[in-house]
Amino acid sequence: AQVGIEFCKHAQGGGLSCEVVPSATDIDALALGKLIWASCLWLVAHKFGGRPVGECHARADSKEALRSLVAEVLPIAQQAIGEDQLASSPIAGEALGCVDTVLEGMCAYSTRIAYAVPSHAMALRELPFRNGWFLAHSPAAEQPLHVRLLQEVGA
């Protein structure tokens, strides 16, 4: 814990935002929340012609597609953390609790970089540990929208 505190002090001294979380479960849940953002936003952005991430949350068609995709992959992340861990950790519960809270967190992050368009080329290079993580942890048949969007954007 002391190393984490010292690291945060150093990062904050450089103008970066940093926070020490209390447990490995919390770190895993926050990382999976970011993985959901990275795996879903690039797909939705490119499904709609290279739309910036801020617009993906604001425009009705992409907003609905994003909600549906998050609803499909979120249970996979929740299962990886475990029901008991989600229930016992406020941080993990907030990070992966329900579709609405996940979307709120995604939107808050996207708002900070609203005009960014996720790189299609980078997403394809990182596919094995982005979208591939979800495909490795749940049958493709249980992720029909995810699989269809991957096919539509040329993954």
Side-chain angles (χ1 to χ4, degrees):
Q2 186 60 34
V3 171
I5 293 168
E6 292 302 317
F7 176 81
C8 272
K9 286 180 184 176
H10 184 71
Q12 290 165 342
L16 299 174
S17 163
C18 186
E19 179 181 339
V20 176
V21 295
S23 73
T25 296
D26 296 329
I27 293 169
D28 290 345
L30 292 167
L32 284 168
K34 176 66 171 136
L35 182 63
I36 290 170
W37 184 93
S39 298
C40 294
L41 251 300
W42 86 270
L43 279 175
V44 171
H46 290 284
K47 157 85 174 149
F48 293 96
R51 192 172 282 178
V53 295
E55 284 187 39
C56 289
H57 292 279
R59 294 179 62 177
D61 55 355
S62 53
K63 185 176 183 176
E64 183 53 38
L66 185 58
R67 171 176 279 286
S68 296
L69 184 55
V70 169
E72 194 171 275
V73 300
L74 178 59
I76 303 166
Q78 290 170 328
Q79 184 177 359
I81 295 294
E83 190 175 314
D84 291 342
Q85 297 287 20
L86 286 172
S88 66
S89 166
I91 291 172
E94 183 177 330
L96 299 175
C98 70
V99 172
D100 287 335
T101 57
V102 171
L103 285 168
E104 286 172 19
M106 290 173 69
C107 186
Y109 182 73
S110 295
T111 299
R112 291 183 239 149
I113 55 170
Y115 299 106
V117 176
S119 168
H120 186 270
M122 181 184 295
L124 291 178
R125 283 192 308 271
E126 295 178 352
L127 194 69
F129 52 89
R130 275 193 197 191
N131 302 79
W133 185 90
F134 294 99
L135 296 171
H137 285 81
S138 182
E142 294 177 11
Q143 305 175 62
L145 176 60
H146 187 199
V147 171
R148 190 181 88 233
L149 288 174
L150 285 166
Q151 292 167 344
E152 287 179 15
V153 300

